[in-house]
Amino acid sequence: MNFLWAAVTLAVVTAAPYFAYLGLYAWIRPNGSPAQKSEWEPSVSIVLPTYNEAGIVETKLDDVLAFDYPMEKVEVVVVDSSTDKTREIIREFFADLDEPDLVLLEEDERRGLAPALNDAYEVASNEMVVKTDCDSKVASDALREAAANLADDEIAAVTGSNVEVLGGSEVESGYRGVQSHIQQLESHLDSTLIFHGPFSAFENDALLPIDPNSLADDTELALKIRRQGGRVIFDPAVKYMEASHSQFVKRRKQKDRRGMGLIRLLVQHRDALGGYANYGKVVLPFNCWFMIISPWLMTATLVVGTGAAVSMFSMGGVAFPLAVGGFAYLGQKDLLGPVQALYSVFDTQVSLLRASVELLKGEGDGMWDVDSELREAFE
């Protein structure tokens, strides 16, 4: 019986902040962007970091030209450390174009994403700076939607929503759906934490250097901007598409590393807890719970719950961990129907637990490995 009460207590404690956030969401009913959006047409620097993108970079540049925006107001800042023909393709692409302007920063060796971005942000000369990943597709109206948010004097940065997961991952689609609701709530409360690599836009005057070893460069920049006084928000009208896996093992490579970056960032900025209005009082504490504390409590709940089931039902209690395993198996196969989103959150908690363990072991650097399967999904 002690096992049972311990398992129930752990489950209640683990779930309590989530139900509190659900209650807050029901009370506030956030919808769309909290910014006072208005028409604005600033000059734009589009920052595009590249590494061995020969197979997809031309598609990405076509994507840039497809923006519903005057190209005479756009410059494309490419920072490249490739060993393939990426640079040659980029130069050839721009050779016969009068606009947009190209700024090509060539690196002789690969230093990691964060140092490359610092160099790109330093030379970006226009009023609005947009960072986008090469292996993503962005809606044609994204620049206008982002600029409309930044026209509000309170808003210094804006990120968007993954409206379609390339590769058909229902696991990632479910998680992004949950995440978009959380980010809308956070933005209406004050500011959101997570910024997304496929599309993030910043006021040039708000840019700050990021840690050269950062694994969460977009989120780190947004967090630093919020700490210096600007609001950083999520707008679902800013749309992009990004590729992702559903299979459990394949997702670990993609998700665990993101988790490491976010956890490390939260630990580095733990002094912000309690300050910066609702950002430090609500948003950061919830994300610390979700990313750092909850994964360990979830694991403890499963372990103690298994002990309680075995102590009460002997070998029949093994049905509990088998049920959890079946839930995970069906979830990675995208077969859970209306509760697929719940599995997506569970899957993310697994990644965050693994990320915590890797960080405790001292793992993690600023280098990202190319995922050839996701590149194929993008193509």
Side-chain angles (χ1 to χ4, degrees):
M1 198 55 114
N2 288 336
F3 262 126
L4 178 61
W5 281 113
V8 171
T9 300
L10 281 169
V12 170
V13 170
T14 303
Y18 298 108
F19 283 106
Y21 237 52
L22 280 172
L24 198 56
Y25 187 92
W27 178 44
I28 294 177
R29 295 183 178 275
N31 183 42
S33 169
Q36 296 296 315
K37 295 170 73 171
S38 60
E39 190 172 338
W40 184 40
E41 200 174 80
S43 57
V44 180
S45 296
I46 298 176
V47 170
L48 183 64
T50 57
Y51 175 70
N52 289 353
E53 318 281 1
I56 62 173
V57 69
E58 191 168 357
T59 300
K60 182 64 180 185
L61 294 174
D62 284 334
D63 203 33
V64 169
L65 290 184
F67 281 131
D68 175 23
Y69 209 82
M71 286 295 122
E72 65 271 17
K73 289 192 170 186
V74 176
E75 69 173 3
V76 179
V77 181
V78 178
V79 54
D80 180 72
S81 57
S82 298
T83 57
D84 64 5
K85 295 184 177 181
T86 299
R87 293 178 200 176
E88 289 84 345
I89 294 171
I90 292 170
R91 289 195 193 97
E92 184 177 332
F93 186 92
F94 280 91
D96 298 324
L97 292 178
D98 294 328
E99 55 204 27
D101 293 331
L102 170 66
V103 178
L104 178 58
L105 305 179
E106 302 182 44
E107 297 187 325
D108 294 328
E109 61 178 342
R110 192 181 183 203
R111 297 175 297 149
L113 180 57
L117 287 175
N118 280 334
D119 288 348
Y121 291 148
E122 188 172 348
V123 303
S125 60
N126 289 336
E127 297 165 285
M128 182 171 81
V129 178
V130 170
K131 184 263 181 176
T132 181
D133 294 334
C134 207
D135 56 350
S136 63
K137 294 188 70 64
V138 181
S140 61
D141 63 350
L143 294 184
R144 291 198 178 278
E145 292 290 349
N149 281 279
L150 296 183
D152 185 333
D153 290 340
E154 288 189 2
I155 309 302
V158 60
T159 192
S161 174
N162 190 0
V163 295
E164 181 182 342
V165 178
L166 302 174
S169 172
E170 292 296 327
V171 179
E172 186 66 13
S173 180
Y175 175 67
R176 291 302 180 101
V178 172
Q179 187 182 54
S180 67
H181 285 88
I182 291 173
Q183 291 196 269
Q184 278 192 83
L185 173 60
E186 293 174 343
S187 297
H188 282 262
L189 286 170
D190 185 300
S191 297
T192 192
L193 173 69
I194 297 176
F195 264 52
H196 302 290
F199 190 96
S200 295
F202 310 92
E203 288 185 337
N204 197 321
D205 292 344
L207 293 175
L208 295 161
I210 51 181
D211 180 355
N213 293 314
S214 179
L215 296 175
D217 46 273
D218 306 294
T219 296
E220 178 181 336
L221 179 53
L223 193 158
K224 286 182 172 181
I225 289 172
R226 177 61 188 93
R227 295 196 68 169
Q228 71 172 6
R231 286 182 67 188
V232 295
I233 63 169
F234 168 87
D235 182 2
V238 178
K239 301 172 183 177
Y240 64 84
M241 295 184 288
E242 182 183 26
S244 186
H245 295 296
S246 273
Q247 189 176 333
F248 186 84
V249 174
K250 290 180 179 179
R251 281 179 65 74
R252 302 286 67 85
K253 180 179 178 180
Q254 183 183 27
K255 297 285 287 187
D256 294 6
R257 192 172 179 80
R258 289 178 179 175
M260 290 173 66
L262 292 169
I263 291 168
R264 189 164 70 182
L265 186 65
L266 285 169
V267 172
Q268 289 172 338
H269 289 268
R270 60 189 179 276
D271 61 312
L273 289 168
Y276 307 97
N278 285 330
Y279 188 68
K281 293 179 174 65
V282 181
V283 175
L284 290 182
F286 175 79
N287 279 279
C288 285
W289 182 270
F290 179 75
M291 295 182 197
I292 300 174
I293 301 171
S294 174
W296 292 97
L297 285 177
M298 181 195 73
T299 303
T301 301
L302 294 177
V303 171
V304 176
T306 298
V310 170
S311 67
M312 293 175 66
F313 304 108
S314 189
M315 289 305 296
V318 177
F320 175 71
L322 289 176
V324 174
F327 172 74
Y329 176 79
L330 293 174
Q332 69 165 327
K333 297 291 185 181
D334 299 328
L335 295 174
L336 288 176
V339 296
Q340 186 68 43
L342 184 61
Y343 170 74
S344 301
V345 174
F346 172 82
D347 173 87
T348 300
Q349 292 285 282
V350 171
S351 276
L352 290 166
L353 178 68
R354 288 167 55 93
S356 295
V357 172
E358 290 300 306
L359 286 171
L360 289 171
K361 289 163 56 179
E363 300 293 333
D365 58 36
M367 294 291 185
W368 289 86
D369 296 327
V370 174
D371 190 320
S372 58
E373 288 190 52
L374 290 183
R375 290 289 173 87
E376 290 175 9
F378 174 78
E379 291 180 64

